Amino acid sequence: MHSDETTPQEQDRDAALDATERALIADEEQVLRHVQSELARALAQPVNGVDFDRELMALRDQIAEERAEDHAMLVEHMTRLAALRAAQSREYAPPADPRSPYFARLRLRDTHQGERREREVLIGRRAFIDTRRGVQIVDWRNSPISRIYYCYREGDEYEERFAGELQAGDVLARRTLAIEAGELVRLQQGERVLVRDADRGWMRMAADRSRLAGGAGTAIRAPGEHLGRHGPDQRLPEITALIDPEQFRIITDKRAGVVIIRGGAGTGKTTIALHRVAFLHFQDKRRFAGKRVLIITPGDALRRYVSRVLPALDVKGVPIHTFPKWALQTAKRLVPRLKKRKLTDETPTGARRLKRAPALLDMLAAEVRDGGRRFDDAFAEVGGKPLLDAWVRRRNLPPMQRLAALERWLEGDGRAVRENNRVPLARVMDQVREELGDPFEMWAELFSDRVRVAAALKASGFAYHEWELNQLVETVARQADDPPDRSDLDAGLRTGIDGISIDAGDITGRLDVDDLAAILRLCQLQYGRLTGPSGQVVRYEHVVADEAQDLSPMTIKVLCDAVKPGGPVTLAGDTAQRLSLDAGFDDWDVLVEQLGLTAHVLPPLSVSYRSTRQVMTLARHVLGPLAPEVQARDARDGAPVEMLRFAETGEAVAFLADALKSLRDRERRSSVALVARTAAVADLYYNILRRAEVPDVRRIRQQEFDFSPGIDVTDVFQIKGLEYDYVVLLEPTAGQYPDDVESRHLLHVAATRAAHQLWLIASDAPSPLLPASLVEGRGLGDADPGGDA
């Protein structure tokens, strides 16, 4: 049964609408009925001798006559008939989807054949044009006229060239629509947004829910050359003034050794680490001079940020690197035979996972420790018991230090042994240097030895697959080869016809970051400090690694032993924000035990400053069972988190383009990040936003952030460690973020980049990691659990 009467709730909500808004809704619903009726007529045309005319014509008449309550059923029936037609004829291309035929409507005024006219254009994902019956739906992806919708606002004059002809006119009306299951559920015209809620009542959406607003300057900016004013009424706060008592105690703690700073997103880990550098520098400017400190960041963006912050803290000349860059430079400096080697990130996944296994640290240490025993007999044969005793007594020293100590003995008390056996002794000692003093050769031999790697993994209980082990051995064998020599080829012949290097994807002779970490670790084990065959020594007074949760245990061990004995090492990180699940560890206490470190693992920081309570509520929910038991307190409230769902990407981008244009008009100093999981999704949105002429849009592909106001379109792997006033997550869908551990970490990292306001925009089924209340449009309340998603 159907009733023409409305419920009290519907009456209350409809009463909130004014006459203009009621007229807008009625007008759009009438247009929708007309389009659906004409779609039924189009679908009724016979295909392959099967005539659908009778049933579809009846549907057309019913759509025109029945009440709105019946539309969903009729449209669903029409959709099934369209699918049946498509199944009976592969060549048949159905017109627009009757469940959601278009998402925008334009009313234009222009001049045609010397006469002024008004016309209407609907914009959807598939074209359907029948001008005789007053229907014109154009495909937003390839129709030139759709540019008017994306680039102009209601009331604007436009001038565009279509089919080589310059056309000018006025945009009389521009409306963005959402049609679901054949029913109009959302209408936006300018700043006015009308929505139909779950109880089928229309209501006006609050202005603060339909736009990005009020957040300009919330995110901390990287300083310029000076602290102070930057433009009219723009003052960058003195960063040191933002430190709370808990952070201050950590910064000024004078204890030596390894200090691990833990805390969730936005708790100030980076701030503490940098201020600890400044504090130690102030306490002893000679010892902790800039050049004697090393800072490792996860990417170039954070490296540039740190390079601006430290001078503002009166610390200059500090080398700031990503680990891959520092490791490559250092390895080439210490091991001359690596001079021509290049870096690769093409290592197969199985080989990469095993290279990061903590068990391989023990394998390297055992090989170096036991390697000297192989020469006991040789020394005994050359110099008898005196030489053997001198060699064995020094067995606790690293091999190259042991050899140097033996040489000093031969120049003193063992001079007679040397004089009597000069040639054979020199031969044995050269062999020791060759076998125990070449870190590259030892790496190549060990990592390609299937038996020894398997034994090390099994001894530690590290689970692996045989295919991963095979992949590791094969990969290292290729990497250990000499790099291909292309010197005889002209520059033009070193690239293919597609412009890509002929060596692209080839790992022959190339080392990855995990290989470099292993080689540098062997340098430390063989020589007792960070030096190598070149004789150059690398040593720091203080090492800082930010976002250390994505570094491998091997890498962390190398950095910890790059300082003088007992010197300070500051590691800052949050295992909940891991971007790489094969880093080799997920618990700081376990890591400390595995590496044999004397470390101070500090309690997690207790206050979250960057993101608002609303953002952090979502971020913790996304983590689900991975969320830490002790959660930081949120320092402030902010704008509600909004999930905006659309039937089509074009509709989503149109809404977003309007919102971003409005924001740039109102808040020129604001920073916005549009964050996708993949580069492909980021490219899609960027290209359409550029087409829509959204100002100040930048596509960030390789960490080329410049921290200036504007709109950065990027993927989650680029944005780690940064923050923005506004963040929009692009397509947080089930396809992009399924229910798995990696997706939980990535979605958590992406969401917690927002300092003021967070939106989620999706044109497909939402991710199962998101709260039901957010997906259903009920908002994100305090009652949403932070545990299981």
Side-chain angles (χ1 to χ4, degrees):
M1 292 180 60
H2 301 286
S3 172
D4 291 334
E5 296 182 0
T6 59
T7 66
Q9 291 88 347
E10 288 173 331
Q11 290 174 347
D12 290 342
R13 286 166 179 155
D14 285 340
L17 305 181
D18 58 32
T20 300
E21 292 166 338
R22 291 173 179 270
L24 280 174
I25 294 169
D27 180 37
E28 292 301 337
E29 289 183 334
Q30 182 179 3
V31 171
L32 177 58
R33 286 193 186 192
H34 175 66
V35 169
Q36 289 171 333
S37 176
E38 294 307 319
L39 279 172
R41 183 191 302 275
L43 287 169
Q45 301 303 315
V47 174
N48 290 345
V50 180
D51 193 348
F52 292 85
D53 183 76
R54 182 182 306 169
E55 190 166 0
L56 284 168
M57 292 297 283
L59 272 176
R60 183 202 64 182
D61 295 338
Q62 289 181 64
I63 287 174
E65 297 170 1
E66 290 294 329
R67 289 180 290 269
E69 300 95 298
D70 300 319
H71 284 177
M73 178 185 67
L74 298 174
V75 168
E76 181 62 28
H77 188 38
M78 187 191 306
T79 303
R80 287 199 298 269
L81 290 173
L84 181 59
R85 288 193 63 174
Q88 293 193 4
S89 176
R90 294 185 179 180
E91 296 180 357
Y92 172 70
D97 184 350
R99 294 169 298 182
S100 182
Y102 53 90
F103 58 80
R105 180 184 174 195
L106 289 174
R107 191 165 75 251
L108 308 175
R109 180 170 57 207
D110 59 11
T111 301
H112 180 64
Q113 296 180 350
E115 295 184 3
R116 297 290 281 174
R117 66 170 181 177
E118 290 187 9
R119 58 177 174 145
E120 294 202 353
V121 178
L122 303 174
I123 300 173
R125 75 181 89 181
R126 188 173 296 163
F128 174 55
I129 299 175
D130 189 339
T131 54
R132 293 176 303 170
R133 298 187 180 276
V135 177
Q136 184 176 4
I137 303 177
V138 300
D139 189 327
W140 69 272
R141 293 164 294 189
N142 52 39
S143 174
I145 204 169
S146 66
R147 178 175 168 79
I148 297 176
Y149 171 70
Y150 284 106
C151 297
Y152 298 89
R153 305 181 190 185
E154 186 170 307
D156 285 352
E157 296 180 355
Y158 70 86
E159 186 175 86
E160 294 289 338
R161 189 171 295 276
F162 301 137
E165 179 182 347
L166 187 65
Q167 295 188 20
D170 303 296
V171 181
L172 301 180
R174 179 186 180 279
R175 299 171 189 170
T176 301
L177 311 165
I179 300 169
E180 297 178 1
E183 294 188 20
L184 181 68
V185 296
R186 180 186 176 102
L187 188 160
Q188 179 174 359
Q189 184 176 37
E191 294 290 324
R192 190 197 313 261
V193 180
L194 309 176
V195 295
R196 172 181 265 169
D197 74 358
D199 296 326
R200 302 180 64 82
W202 281 96
M203 58 193 303
R204 185 185 305 113
M205 181 183 287
D208 62 349
R209 293 188 60 189
S210 61
R211 69 178 184 176
L212 300 166
T218 305
I220 294 177
R221 302 287 196 275
E225 294 182 358
H226 307 284
L227 292 174
R229 292 190 179 276
H230 294 269
D233 298 324
Q234 295 295 325
R235 179 181 294 275
L236 182 74
E238 171 64 59
I239 191 171
T240 309
L242 304 178
I243 295 171
D244 67 18
E246 180 185 22
Q247 294 172 335
F248 183 78
R249 284 193 293 272
I250 298 172
I251 291 167
T252 57
D253 191 334
K254 297 182 181 180
R255 73 180 81 189
V258 179
V259 174
I260 298 177
I261 303 170
R262 300 183 295 163
T267 52
K269 300 181 295 297
T270 301
T271 298
I272 292 173
L274 298 184
H275 279 76
R276 184 163 168 77
V277 171
F279 175 79
L280 293 175
H281 173 74
F282 179 79
Q283 296 297 311
D284 190 337
K285 292 186 178 181
R286 178 184 293 272
R287 178 185 175 188
F288 295 106
K291 65 181 180 180
R292 296 179 177 176
V293 177
L294 172 67
I295 297 180
I296 296 295
T297 66
D300 283 329
L302 198 56
R303 179 187 60 78
R304 289 194 295 274
Y305 172 83
V306 172
S307 70
R308 298 183 187 185
V309 170
L310 282 179
L313 298 176
D314 293 327
V315 183
K316 298 179 175 62
V318 175
I320 307 166
H321 299 288
T322 63
F323 183 77
K325 182 177 180 180
W326 174 83
L328 184 62
Q329 290 178 348
T330 305
K332 288 184 175 183
R333 178 179 171 188
L334 302 184
V335 187
R337 65 183 298 179
L338 300 181
K339 289 290 186 183
K340 295 184 178 180
R341 300 277 172 164
K342 295 182 179 180
L343 194 63
T344 181
D345 58 2
E346 301 286 344
T347 302
T349 55
R352 181 173 64 242
R353 193 178 82 89
L354 295 192
K355 287 181 180 183
R356 297 180 179 182
L360 298 193
L361 273 164
D362 294 333
M363 181 183 74
L364 298 185
E367 174 64 19
V368 172
R369 181 182 62 249
D370 300 338
R373 296 176 184 173
R374 296 198 298 269
F375 295 94
D376 289 355
D377 292 343
F379 279 119
E381 182 179 346
V382 169
K385 189 174 185 301
L387 181 58
L388 176 61
D389 288 345
W391 172 248
V392 172
R393 283 199 306 271
R394 292 162 176 80
R395 61 180 174 271
N396 290 330
L397 294 174
M400 292 300 98
Q401 290 186 10
R402 184 181 184 184
L403 195 62
L406 183 64
E407 287 181 321
R408 290 194 295 271
W409 178 81
L410 289 169
E411 292 173 356
D413 295 343
R415 184 176 304 168
V417 174
R418 181 175 185 174
E419 292 299 325
N420 295 331
N421 305 279
R422 185 176 295 273
V423 174
L425 181 59
R427 187 181 302 115
V428 173
M429 296 185 74
D430 285 344
Q431 189 176 359
V432 173
R433 290 190 187 91
E434 183 178 342
E435 292 193 22
L436 300 184
D438 187 336
F440 176 81
E441 197 63 39
M442 184 172 287
W443 161 80
E445 179 184 344
L446 287 176
F447 277 58
S448 60
D449 188 323
R450 195 177 191 282
V451 174
R452 275 194 280 188
V453 172
L457 295 175
K458 289 176 181 177
S460 70
F462 187 90
Y464 66 93
H465 299 285
E466 288 297 320
W467 68 264
E468 292 179 305
L469 186 56
N470 293 334
Q471 193 177 77
L472 172 67
V473 172
E474 294 169 3
T475 297
V476 172
R478 291 172 58 194
Q479 292 177 298
D481 284 345
D482 292 332
D485 185 4
R486 308 294 187 191
S487 59
D488 58 334
L489 293 179
D490 293 336
L493 297 178
R494 296 174 191 173
T495 58
I497 58 175
D498 55 2
I500 299 176
S501 169
I502 60 176
D503 292 324
D506 184 8
I507 62 173
T508 302
R510 293 174 179 259
L511 304 175
D512 61 41
V513 64
D514 298 302
D515 302 324
L516 295 172
I519 291 169
L520 292 177
R521 182 58 190 156
L522 283 169
C523 286
Q524 293 172 325
L525 292 169
Q526 292 173 336
Y527 290 83
R529 52 183 176 172
L530 195 51
T531 183
S534 70
Q536 298 186 57
V537 179
V538 176
R539 178 164 286 182
Y540 301 97
E541 294 290 348
H542 184 196
V543 169
V544 176
D546 196 16
E547 303 289 351
Q549 71 274 0
D550 279 323
L551 299 177
S552 71
M554 186 87 71
T555 295
I556 291 175
K557 185 65 172 174
V558 168
L559 293 175
C560 288
D561 285 359
V563 298
K564 291 183 178 180
V569 176
T570 304
L571 305 177
D574 175 20
T575 54
Q577 296 187 67
R578 288 185 297 157
L579 292 182
S580 174
L581 297 187
D582 58 6
F585 77 98
D586 58 7
D587 184 279
W588 290 110
D589 292 316
V590 173
L591 176 72
V592 167
E593 182 177 354
Q594 288 175 336
L595 300 187
L597 299 176
T598 301
H600 309 283
V601 183
L602 302 180
L605 296 167
S606 60
V607 181
S608 175
Y609 291 101
R610 177 197 300 144
S611 298
T612 64
R613 175 181 58 82
Q614 290 80 358
V615 171
M616 293 309 300
T617 297
L618 172 64
R620 291 172 187 132
H621 181 101
V622 164
L623 280 178
L626 305 179
E629 294 182 5
V630 179
Q631 298 179 354
R633 176 173 57 85
D634 304 320
R636 59 192 175 87
D637 273 320
V641 174
E642 296 287 348
M643 174 129 199
L644 305 166
R645 299 178 61 185
F646 301 90
E648 161 64 37
T649 306
E651 178 187 353
V653 180
F655 175 88
L656 183 58
D658 286 347
L660 293 174
K661 288 178 181 178
S662 174
L663 176 66
R664 298 302 293 156
D665 286 345
R666 291 178 281 107
E667 300 180 16
R668 296 296 300 171
R669 300 290 299 172
S670 63
S671 62
V672 185
L674 310 184
V675 186
R677 176 163 183 170
T678 66
V681 172
D683 284 338
L684 174 64
Y685 273 78
Y686 172 73
N687 291 333
I688 305 174
L689 290 173
R690 284 290 304 273
R691 179 182 174 191
E693 297 184 351
V694 175
D696 307 315
V697 178
R698 303 176 291 249
R699 177 69 176 93
I700 306 298
R701 293 183 172 86
Q702 293 294 331
Q703 297 262 315
E704 60 268 33
F705 300 93
D706 64 8
F707 306 105
S708 63
I711 303 164
D712 291 339
V713 186
T714 189
D715 62 80
V716 65
F717 297 96
Q718 304 298 320
I719 203 170
K720 184 177 181 179
L722 307 182
E723 62 183 81
Y724 285 78
D725 300 329
Y726 303 95
V727 170
V728 180
L729 303 188
L730 304 177
E731 303 297 338
T733 62
Q736 294 288 312
Y737 295 95
D739 188 354
D740 58 39
V741 172
E742 182 179 30
S743 294
R744 288 185 184 276
H745 284 295
L746 296 181
L747 195 52
H748 175 82
V749 169
T752 53
R753 301 310 95 197
H756 175 71
Q757 192 170 359
L758 174 66
W759 276 3
L760 296 82
I761 287 186
S763 60
D764 205 343
S767 168
L769 303 179
L770 299 174
S773 61
L774 184 65
V775 172
E776 294 167 4
R778 294 183 280 113
L780 189 65
D782 293 330
D784 284 306
D788 296 339

